[in-house]
């Protein structure tokens, strides 16, 4: 009986993976793995929750492949790794999807439709594509507990979030403020600074205008300012200068213009310098407003000192200031007592009182504003500029900066703690810590957490209409509800609380930033602190999280910020930041470019293993990936088929010879040098792979494994082929040849070692190889053999197999082979032509290694000389004797016969008869090497003369005419 199931030459990786998925399901291997590690040390993984209101893309395969990698690895190392799935269910992406479906636009139409009905659709939409996500998750081998996920819309989750906000309220870290914030006029809500960072677009075209502001009491004397947002000019209330810089007054075209001396290059040619003075001279001067439509209610239209706002690297050194539409503008106006004026409504359109542009969207009004400035004589120059501009990361509308009353978390109060906790995290790549993340934290602003929207965790703040007192709720019980109730709008909006003054408290209408939901997942997924206190304490912080690099200011930041605010510790210890997924040409994937890749079609064609391996091996974390069929196909061709061919070779010949992996293997120390080298290279690879994986460095782990498989195929198996091919002196189905047993045992151990090494990366192929090589497929496994490779331990090098000296000596042999083959090529002598000797420099080799070198160079003797840097490392004796020529002819004949065997589709153990016809040299060669030729080709006899054959070849050998045929 065969100990192994036959291995087809065609690997069919994708189809084989489907069979493995069925096996995992039926055997509940994932669940068995968790049960087997019950009570073991925990390795904590947090799943960053995706939003399931859209189908997953190829970039999700990248992230999920990495998220699966380290939990698999750590479980095989002996840890228990729970993998709770999670779904991010709130926020504007869901709302926008519903607006499209029900054909409404904007908050007014949503409220007319009904908040309750709208949110019910949002709830449904948030999980609309969960089946697609779960199908992809299973198909790529991402083991995740999707039966018991956390969902941010669950009332238990919301209650934990409320508890956390109450903690911040009690510590005076949650407050209401009037600030200029990034604002989306389409969604009619503000954004946090980290949301803002997600939507910047480079090379955005905007107007560039130079505007003249006439000084009061100084006719035709103008301050020259520059702006790229003409729509803010109707809201201008002040101009800012740098009091310590030099300014000039120049004459041009009948006007006098004032600007910074360092920016005089902005002027057209043909001006006369009239005066130079300090910017402080301009402070408190008043100027005439450009537009009178909506006058401010208080002091305005004065020159203010603002050294922090004014730069000498662009513009004119005079900064147009619209207090309602700029962060620094508002701070300056509040500090200097300048009144504000809002000329734009929350819909991004000019208010009705702004008669010139009333009802127009601000960006659409830019052209008319520029035209009006030209007609009034207040436009000095106009053009365009290309720069980076923020857009809404959800609806892609251009953002405005807008003064609003919002709720903020005072993250700036814990800035030093955030920096300290960030320093404690190991980031991969390492430069993220002090670079992208560190820079972000150094420039931290308070977190704008409120959103004037509908589908989200309600902000748990109630306010008294009579006395204005505010109260933050920390649980559902405080408002007479339980987690069995729906805590969303509009149900929560109707809950009233009594106030000490006798008035009634009602909830402020805002919901919170959905990124806070995500950042709360470490405790909210467990409904902490209402239950699972010990469970949360044991799983915080996480040992490992992973997302794309754009989440540095998204989920990574929100996790760090919430954990620091509440627990004064980071939420994670190790963070892998992945790069972006680009197309094969290096362009960002998008539907508009028609360059997206369907992840399932890629996996169905080439297999999940190939796709996963590419993502692990192609580049280091943080670098971008080019993804297409060619890249994945290359993994199959370059690595997977090489491994498959070695595996197929081993199984095929092992079955022929009756190799039983259960029989005791020869002691390693007594095996031939080639076997000991193979196992030493395996030990070296295991050590490297473990070290790399422990350092969250999959690319170098993959590279080490690839190099070993290449050595296994191109050196070990190729060098050992004759050992497997030679006849077995025992009975058919029994292995008695010791050398063969050493070879089979070594290759068996090497392949099982590779299967273990690749198990976290290529879980499907590893499983297929393991189950067959272990005898599980044929029922010949050892008693107690785990049914899955994922229930075994990760490979660990055995001390007896480590032999760095032998590895080094073999490396020397291989270098000598390269040099010797190069010398043959230079001499134009084929490798199959034996030579008398080769002389190499340096110390003599061990006899076995010397024989390997002689075989590879096809020389009869290795001689040694002094190592001389001026001489080649290998010098060949190229004189050909008659005996050497005859031997060369037989070697060529052997190759031709074996090619004919393959062409005739003969089984590996089929015996044949050789027929040949040739000139005198060929006949002499066959006569002198008949037995050798028969052994090399599994021939029972050699007959001179033509006959009816299965296959034939005719040509020249060593210049002599020859015909060869084979028959059964």
């Amino acid at each position: 009986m065969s100990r192994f199931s036959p291995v087809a030459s065609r690997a069919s990786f994708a189809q084989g993976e489907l069979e493995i998925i069925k096996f995992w399901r039926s055997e509940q291997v994932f669940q068995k793995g968790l049960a087997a590690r019950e009570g073991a040390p925990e390795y904590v993984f947090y799943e960053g929750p995706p939003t399931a209101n859209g189908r997953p893309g190829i970039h999700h395969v990248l992230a999920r492949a990495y998220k699966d990698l380290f939990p698999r690895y750590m479980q095989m190392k002996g840890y228990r790794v729970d993998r709770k799935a999670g779904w991010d269910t709130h926020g504007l992406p869901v709302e926008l999807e519903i607006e499209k479906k029900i054909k409404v636009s904007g908050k007014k139409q949503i409220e007319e439709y009904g908040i309750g009905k709208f949110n019910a659709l949002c709830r449904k939409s948030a999980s609309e594509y969960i089946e697609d996500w779960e199908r992809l998750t299973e198909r790529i081998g991402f083991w995740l507990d999707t039966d018991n996920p956390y969902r941010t819309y669950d009332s238990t989750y919301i209650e934990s979030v409320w508890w956390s906000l109450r903690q911040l309220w009690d510590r005076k870290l949650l407050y209401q403020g009037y600030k200029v914030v990034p604002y989306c006029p389409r969604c009619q809500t503000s954004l946090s600074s980290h949301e803002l960072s997600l939507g910047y677009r480079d090379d955005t075209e905007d107007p560039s205008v130079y505007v003249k502001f006439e000084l009061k009491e100084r006719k035709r004397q103008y301050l020259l300012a520059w702006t790229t947002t003409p729509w803010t000019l109707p809201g201008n209330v002040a101009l800012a200068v740098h009091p310590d810089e030099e300014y000039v007054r120049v004459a041009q075209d009948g006007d006098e213009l004032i600007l910074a001396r360092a920016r005089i290059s902005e002027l057209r040619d043909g001006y006369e310098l009239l005066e130079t003075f300090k910017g402080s001279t301009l402070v408190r001067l008043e100027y005439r407003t450009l537009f009178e439509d909506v006058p401010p209610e208080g002091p305005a239209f004065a020159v203010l000192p603002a050294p922090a706002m004014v730069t000498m690297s662009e513009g004119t050194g005079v900064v147009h200031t619209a207090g309602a539409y700029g962060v620094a503008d508002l701070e300056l106006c509040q500090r200097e007592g300048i009144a504000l004026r809002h000329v734009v409504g929350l819909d991004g359109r000019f208010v009705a009182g702004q008669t010139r542009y009333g009802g127009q969207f601000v960006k659409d009004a830019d052209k008319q504003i520029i035209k009006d400035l030209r007609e009034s004589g207040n436009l000095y120059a106009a053009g365009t500029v290309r720069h980076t501009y923020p857009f809404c990361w959800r609806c892609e509308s251009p953002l405005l900066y807008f003064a609003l009353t919002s709720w903020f978390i005072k993250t700036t109060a814990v800035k030093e703690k955030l920096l300290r906790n960030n320093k404690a995290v190991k980031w991969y790549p390492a430069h993220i810590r002090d670079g992208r993340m560190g820079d972000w934290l150094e420039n931290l602003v308070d977190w704008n957490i409120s959103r004037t929207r509908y589908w989200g965790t309600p902000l748990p703040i109630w306010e008294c209409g009579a006395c204005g007192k505010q109260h933050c709720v920390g649980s559902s019980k405080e408002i007479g509800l339980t987690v069995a109730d729906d805590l969303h709008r509009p149900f929560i909006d109707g809950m009233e609380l009594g106030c000490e003054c006798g008035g009634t408290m009602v909830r402020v209408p805002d919901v919170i930033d959905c990124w806070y939901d995500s950042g709360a997942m470490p405790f909210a997924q467990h409904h902490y602190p209402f239950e699972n206190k010990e469970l949360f304490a044991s799983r915080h912080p996480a040992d490992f999280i992973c997302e794309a690099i754009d989440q540095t200011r998204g989920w990574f930041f929100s996790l760090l910020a919430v954990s620091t605010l509440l627990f004064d510790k980071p939420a994670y210890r190790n963070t892998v930041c992945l790069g972006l997924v680009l197309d094969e040409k290096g362009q960002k994937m998008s539907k508009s470019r028609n360059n997206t890749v369907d992840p399932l079609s890629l996996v169905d064609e080439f297999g999940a293993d190939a796709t996963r391996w590419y993502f692990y091996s192609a580049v280091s974390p943080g670098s971008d990936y080019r993804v297409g069929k060619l890249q994945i196909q290359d993994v199959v061709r370059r690595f997977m088929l090489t491994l498959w061919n070695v595996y197929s070779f081993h199984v095929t010949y092992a079955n022929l010879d009756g190799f039983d992996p259960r029989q005791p293997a020869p002691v390693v120390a007594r095996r031939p040098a080639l076997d000991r080298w193979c196992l030493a290279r395996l030990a070296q690879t295991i050590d490297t792979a473990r070290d790399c994986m422990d350092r969250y460095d999959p690319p170098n782990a993959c590279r080490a494994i690839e190099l070993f498989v290449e050595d296994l195929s191109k050196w070990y198996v190729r060098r050992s082929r004759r050992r497997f091919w030679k006849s077995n002196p025992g009975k058919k189905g029994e292995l008695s040849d010791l050398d063969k047993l050493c070879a089979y045992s070594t290759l068996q151990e090497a392949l099982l070692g590779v299967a273990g090494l690749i198990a976290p990366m290529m879980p499907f192929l590893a499983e297929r190889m393991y189950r067959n090589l272990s005898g599980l497929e044929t029922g010949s496994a050892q008693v107690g053999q785990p049914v899955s490779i994922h229930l075994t331990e990760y490979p660990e090098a055995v001390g007896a197999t480590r032999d760095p000296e032998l590895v080094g000596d073999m490396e020397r042999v291989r270098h000598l082979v390269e040099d010797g083959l190069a010398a043959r090529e230079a001499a134009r002598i084929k490798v199959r032509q034996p030579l008398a000797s080769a002389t190499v420099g340096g110390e003599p080799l061990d006899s076995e290694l010397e024989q390997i070198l002689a075989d590879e160079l096809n020389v009869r003797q290795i001689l040694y000389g002094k190592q001389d840097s001026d001489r080649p490392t290998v010098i060949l004796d190229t004189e050909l004797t008659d005996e050497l020529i005859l031997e060369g002819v037989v070697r060529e004949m052997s190759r031709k016969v074996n090619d004919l065997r393959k062409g005739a589709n003969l089984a590996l153990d089929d015996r044949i008869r050789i027929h040949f016809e040739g000139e005198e040299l060929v006949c002499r060669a066959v006569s002198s090497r008949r037995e050798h030729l028969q052994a090399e080709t599994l021939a029972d006899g050699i007959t001179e003369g033509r006959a009816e054959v299965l296959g034939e070849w005719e040509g020249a050998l060593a210049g002599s005419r020859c015909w060869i045929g084979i028959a059964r």
Side-chain angles (χ1 to χ4, degrees):
M1 169 184 154
S2 297
R3 301 298 180 186
F4 308 108
S5 291
V7 175
S9 57
R10 184 177 177 82
S12 302
F13 293 119
Q15 182 59 39
E17 290 173 359
L18 297 179
E19 296 302 315
I20 293 298
I21 288 173
K22 291 179 184 176
F23 162 70
W24 284 344
R25 278 189 205 149
S26 64
E27 288 291 328
Q28 294 188 308
V29 178
F30 173 44
Q31 293 78 5
K32 285 180 179 177
L34 292 175
R37 298 303 190 203
E38 192 69 45
E42 286 201 85
Y43 177 81
V44 181
F45 160 68
Y46 289 164
E47 156 69 333
T51 304
N53 73 322
R55 288 188 172 87
I58 190 65
H59 57 293
H60 294 113
V61 175
L62 164 62
R64 292 172 102 68
Y66 256 87
K67 290 175 185 181
D68 186 63
L69 174 62
F70 292 101
R72 280 188 185 272
Y73 170 67
M74 295 305 292
Q75 179 173 297
M76 291 182 75
K77 281 190 70 178
Y79 292 84
R80 178 181 172 89
V81 191
D82 279 347
R83 283 156 267 187
K84 189 179 184 69
W87 301 109
D88 209 350
T89 58
H90 285 148
L92 267 167
V94 182
E95 289 193 36
L96 295 175
E97 188 73 19
I98 297 306
E99 286 190 52
K100 291 177 187 175
K101 284 187 178 180
I102 62 176
K103 295 181 172 56
V104 303
S105 180
K107 294 167 69 173
K108 185 175 182 293
Q109 291 186 7
I110 290 173
E111 291 176 7
E112 290 172 351
Y113 181 82
I115 296 174
K117 288 165 56 181
F118 182 79
N119 275 358
L121 293 174
C122 287
R123 178 187 288 268
K124 183 180 178 182
S125 173
S127 56
E128 184 172 352
Y129 294 103
I130 278 182
E131 285 188 7
D132 290 337
W133 280 85
E134 290 182 344
R135 186 182 308 116
L136 178 73
T137 296
E138 181 183 59
R139 182 61 189 86
I140 65 173
F142 180 17
W143 279 358
L144 200 63
D145 182 4
T146 55
D147 293 331
N148 304 287
Y150 69 86
R151 298 170 299 192
T152 58
Y153 66 49
D154 286 337
S155 292
T156 52
Y157 198 100
I158 291 173
E159 185 172 46
S160 289
V161 171
W162 281 2
W163 166 84
S164 69
L165 293 172
R166 174 60 181 270
Q167 305 308 301
L168 302 183
W169 175 271
D170 289 344
R171 289 157 52 193
K172 302 192 183 325
L173 294 174
L174 180 59
Y175 69 94
Q176 190 175 33
Y178 184 72
K179 295 185 179 184
V180 170
V181 292
Y183 179 81
C184 176
R186 161 63 182 79
C187 302
Q188 293 188 35
T189 190
S190 57
L191 290 79
S192 61
S193 56
H194 49 271
E195 286 181 296
L196 175 71
S197 70
L198 299 174
Y200 279 106
R201 291 186 193 170
D202 296 330
D203 206 33
T204 300
E205 185 175 89
D206 266 327
S208 170
V209 295
Y210 292 81
V211 183
K212 300 187 298 182
F213 291 83
E214 189 174 27
L215 289 169
K216 279 187 177 181
E217 313 303 332
R218 299 189 189 183
K219 194 149 181 76
R220 301 199 71 174
Q221 192 172 116
Y222 300 90
L223 290 158
L224 187 62
W226 172 72
T227 184
T228 59
T229 54
W231 68 266
T232 62
L233 289 169
N236 171 270
V237 290
L239 296 172
V241 297
H242 196 302
D244 301 323
E245 292 285 347
E246 286 192 335
Y247 284 73
V248 295
R249 181 167 57 89
V250 303
Q252 187 176 58
D253 300 331
D255 293 334
E256 291 184 6
L257 304 175
I258 298 171
L259 73 162
R261 183 171 185 169
R263 304 303 302 159
I264 201 168
S265 60
E266 300 297 298
L267 295 176
R268 297 190 297 265
D269 292 338
Y271 61 83
E272 179 186 357
L273 180 61
L274 302 176
E275 183 183 7
T276 301
F277 47 86
K278 288 285 187 181
S280 56
T281 306
L282 300 170
V283 174
R284 303 304 167 192
L285 290 179
E286 295 182 344
Y287 62 91
R288 300 180 190 281
T289 180
L290 298 175
F291 305 96
E292 298 285 358
D293 302 57
V294 184
E297 297 179 0
F301 311 127
V303 180
L304 306 177
M309 280 180 64
V310 182
T311 176
M312 294 296 137
S313 60
E314 64 178 3
T316 65
V318 179
V319 177
H320 145 61
T321 302
Y325 311 117
V327 176
D329 304 48
L330 177 60
E331 292 175 356
L332 175 63
C333 291
Q334 289 176 333
R335 185 173 67 247
E336 297 291 337
I338 298 296
L340 303 182
R341 58 171 174 169
H342 257 311
V343 296
V344 177
L346 293 175
D347 58 357
R349 299 178 180 277
F350 280 99
V351 296
Q354 228 300 332
T355 54
R356 291 171 183 255
Y357 315 111
Q360 290 189 52
F361 182 66
V362 291
K363 287 288 187 178
D364 297 335
D366 278 343
K367 288 183 179 179
Q368 185 61 44
I369 290 171
I370 294 171
K371 180 181 178 183
D372 290 348
L373 290 172
R374 182 177 287 111
E375 290 177 355
S376 67
N378 290 106
L379 183 69
Y380 178 78
T384 59
V385 64
R386 290 192 172 275
H387 61 170
T388 301
Y389 191 87
F391 289 76
C392 179
W393 68 280
R394 299 155 299 199
C395 73
E396 300 186 349
S397 296
L399 296 179
L400 313 179
Y401 280 87
F402 209 91
L404 291 171
T405 298
S406 300
W407 288 88
F408 297 86
I409 296 175
K410 200 171 186 179
T411 42
T412 51
V414 295
K415 175 180 173 180
E416 295 307 316
K417 292 180 179 180
L418 283 165
L419 289 165
R420 182 195 69 212
N421 287 337
N422 180 51
K423 289 278 189 183
V425 175
K426 290 183 179 178
W427 287 86
Y428 305 92
H431 65 79
I432 298 291
R433 189 193 74 176
D434 298 328
R436 187 180 177 93
M437 189 61 154
D439 290 344
W440 173 255
L441 296 177
E442 287 286 358
N443 296 285
L444 193 67
V445 297
D446 285 349
W447 186 344
N448 175 9
I449 197 175
S450 59
R451 301 289 179 270
T452 52
R453 295 297 301 190
Y454 310 99
W455 178 240
T457 296
L459 184 64
I461 295 175
W462 270 252
E463 186 173 46
C464 178
C467 69
K469 182 180 178 181
Q470 295 171 329
H471 173 68
C472 183
V473 163
S475 70
S476 59
K477 184 179 179 181
E478 290 182 48
I479 52 173
L481 298 176
T482 70
V483 290
D485 296 304
D486 189 343
L487 302 183
H488 288 93
R489 299 189 67 187
F491 314 107
I492 197 72
D493 296 337
M495 303 305 298
E496 297 180 347
L497 299 176
C499 181
E500 293 174 355
C501 75
T504 299
M505 303 186 89
V506 296
R507 196 189 71 83
V508 300
D510 296 340
V511 297
I512 69 168
D513 180 4
C514 61
W515 288 103
Y516 189 93
D517 279 349
S518 301
M521 65 79 60
F523 59 90
Q525 66 176 327
H526 301 302
H527 195 209
Y528 175 91
F530 304 98
E531 54 185 319
N532 299 317
K533 286 187 177 182
E534 291 183 2
L535 179 63
F536 165 66
S538 69
R539 295 183 179 174
H540 182 258
D543 292 296
F544 164 66
I545 62 171
C546 173
E547 291 293 344
I549 199 167
D550 57 356
Q551 291 297 326
T552 308
R553 295 163 187 177
W555 191 53
F556 294 155
F557 168 73
S558 64
L559 278 176
L560 181 68
V562 174
S563 183
T564 298
L565 285 160
L566 294 173
F567 309 108
D568 193 19
K569 63 171 68 173
Y572 40 84
R573 294 188 176 96
N574 297 282
T575 304
V576 175
C577 278
L578 303 171
L580 303 178
V581 175
L582 312 174
D583 69 9
E584 290 173 311
K585 297 179 181 177
Q587 292 195 342
K588 188 174 180 180
M589 289 188 182
S590 69
K591 291 180 181 178
S592 61
R593 287 197 180 104
N594 196 30
N595 64 346
T596 57
V597 173
D598 175 31
L600 280 174
S601 67
L602 201 64
V603 168
D604 287 344
E605 183 172 357
F606 300 107
D609 280 337
T611 309
R612 288 171 62 122
W613 190 269
Y614 173 72
F615 283 138
Y616 302 141
S617 64
V619 297
S620 296
S623 303
D624 293 340
Y625 295 82
R626 295 190 178 196
V627 180
K629 288 188 176 182
L630 292 177
Q631 285 79 8
I632 311 304
Q633 194 173 38
D634 182 62
V635 171
V636 175
R637 177 190 58 78
R638 177 178 49 79
F639 175 60
M640 295 181 70
L641 286 178
T642 301
L643 177 57
W644 184 265
N645 289 337
V646 173
Y647 164 59
S648 174
F649 173 89
H650 174 67
V651 168
T652 301
Y653 282 96
N655 278 338
L656 284 175
D657 278 329
F659 170 65
D660 187 346
R662 295 172 298 183
Q663 70 185 102
V667 176
V668 172
R670 296 181 181 177
R671 299 188 201 183
L674 189 62
D675 296 341
R676 289 185 280 111
W677 167 84
C678 179
L679 296 178
R681 276 288 291 118
L682 175 62
Q684 186 183 60
T685 304
I686 289 171
D687 289 341
T688 300
R690 289 179 73 102
D691 178 63
C692 290
M693 290 295 287
D694 288 343
R695 292 185 287 105
Y696 293 87
D697 180 13
N700 281 314
C702 290
R703 182 58 181 153
I705 297 168
E706 286 179 352
L707 288 173
F708 177 70
V709 170
E710 189 175 330
D711 281 352
L712 197 61
S713 170
K714 295 182 179 179
W715 191 253
Y716 181 77
V717 171
R718 186 176 62 78
R719 287 288 320 147
S720 300
R721 281 186 186 276
R722 286 188 179 88
R723 301 168 69 193
F724 294 105
W725 286 343
K726 65 184 178 181
S727 61
N728 180 18
K731 299 177 182 178
K732 189 173 179 62
E734 295 180 3
L735 185 62
S736 59
D737 184 283
L738 180 60
D739 184 51
K740 268 196 171 188
L741 181 59
C742 287
Y744 280 123
S745 297
T746 299
L747 191 50
Q748 170 84 2
E749 291 161 24
L751 286 169
L752 277 173
V754 171
L757 287 171
I758 67 172
M761 295 97 161
M762 289 183 160
F764 298 99
L765 179 56
E767 191 76 282
R768 290 174 74 181
M769 291 174 59
Y770 166 81
R771 285 187 53 77
N772 196 17
L773 293 172
S774 298
L776 291 162
E777 293 294 333
T778 58
S780 59
Q782 291 184 350
V783 176
Q785 185 79 31
V787 298
S788 167
I789 195 168
H790 304 290
L791 302 179
T792 66
E793 303 292 323
Y794 196 73
E796 192 163 3
V798 178
T801 63
R802 287 195 176 94
D803 195 339
E805 185 177 349
L806 177 57
V807 171
D809 288 344
M810 190 68 82
E811 191 65 21
R812 179 189 170 201
V813 169
R814 297 177 74 177
H815 283 307
L816 290 172
V817 169
E818 289 179 10
D819 293 343
L821 295 179
R824 271 184 173 273
E825 189 174 351
R828 296 185 178 180
I829 300 175
K830 291 181 178 181
V831 178
R832 287 187 178 82
Q833 173 58 61
L835 297 176
S837 68
T839 303
V840 302
E843 293 296 318
L845 293 163
D846 170 89
S847 60
E848 286 187 89
L849 298 184
E850 184 181 280
Q851 187 58 52
I852 289 172
L853 177 59
D855 288 346
E856 285 293 311
L857 296 182
N858 196 9
V859 299
R860 292 185 172 179
Q861 186 180 16
I862 299 294
L863 304 175
Y864 297 93
K866 288 185 179 180
Q867 187 68 53
D868 188 342
S869 58
D870 296 329
R871 299 176 63 198
T873 56
V874 179
I875 300 174
L876 300 175
D877 179 353
T878 57
E879 183 179 347
L880 296 178
T881 64
D882 184 62
E883 184 181 2
L884 291 172
I885 291 172
L886 293 178
E887 187 176 338
V889 170
V890 169
R891 286 181 179 246
E892 287 288 350
M893 286 189 72
S894 175
R895 184 175 72 88
K896 299 296 184 186
V897 170
N898 282 323
D899 286 346
L900 291 174
R901 286 181 62 97
K902 188 181 295 185
N905 293 319
L906 293 176
L908 294 173
D909 56 347
D910 280 347
R911 311 298 294 188
I912 60 167
R913 185 164 193 88
I914 298 174
H915 298 271
F916 83 98
E917 185 180 83
E919 295 180 350
E920 184 260 347
L921 178 66
V922 175
C923 294
R924 285 199 299 123
V926 173
S927 177
S928 65
R929 299 284 189 280
R930 182 179 296 270
E931 290 183 2
H932 173 80
L933 182 58
Q934 289 183 193
E936 288 290 306
T937 59
L938 289 184
D940 288 331
I942 303 175
T943 303
E944 187 173 358
R946 301 196 182 215
E948 186 176 339
V949 292
L950 298 172
E952 59 183 341
W953 172 86
E954 189 165 9
L957 297 177
S960 295
R961 183 185 58 80
C962 178
W963 173 88
I964 303 171
I966 63 169
R968 290 186 184 275

